[in-house]
Amino acid sequence: VHLRCVMLLAVMIVLLLGAGIDVSYFEPFSAFRLQSASWAAVGIAAISFVLAIFINRPWCRFGCPCGEFLDLGRKHKE
């Protein structure tokens, strides 16, 4: 099971159910502004930063639900 698929499914379920969870708390790019970033985002960004030493773009390749959504559209077009 790809982590990106699971993350996309989780985000879609949260959004469709209106669960009141702000999914932006888990967006690692918010860690560029530490004043507004959640601890989860900073943690994900730190882990991705360390993994980037060994793996090219680890968040984009393995965790990003937006990337999975875009890939689904691309695969459907082909």
Side-chain angles (χ1 to χ4, degrees), residues 4 11-12 16 22 32 37 39 44-45 50 55 65 70-71 76:
R4 284 185 356 171
V11 167
M12 295 303 287
L16 290 173
D22 189 357
F32 285 114
W39 286 105
I44 293 169
V50 171
I55 303 168
L70 293 172
D71 278 352
H76 179 70

Side-chain angles (χ1 to χ4, degrees), residues 53-75:
I53 296 169
F54 308 103
I55 303 168
N56 187 23
R57 300 174 319 160
W59 172 250
C60 298
R61 291 177 65 192
F62 303 114
C64 181
C66 183
E68 182 64 25
F69 184 72
L70 293 172
D71 278 352
L72 287 173
R74 185 180 49 134
K75 290 173 187 171

Side-chain angles (χ1 to χ4, degrees), residues 31-45:
F32 285 114
R33 294 206 54 206
L34 287 176
Q35 300 87 354
S36 63
S38 68
W39 286 105
V42 172
I44 293 169

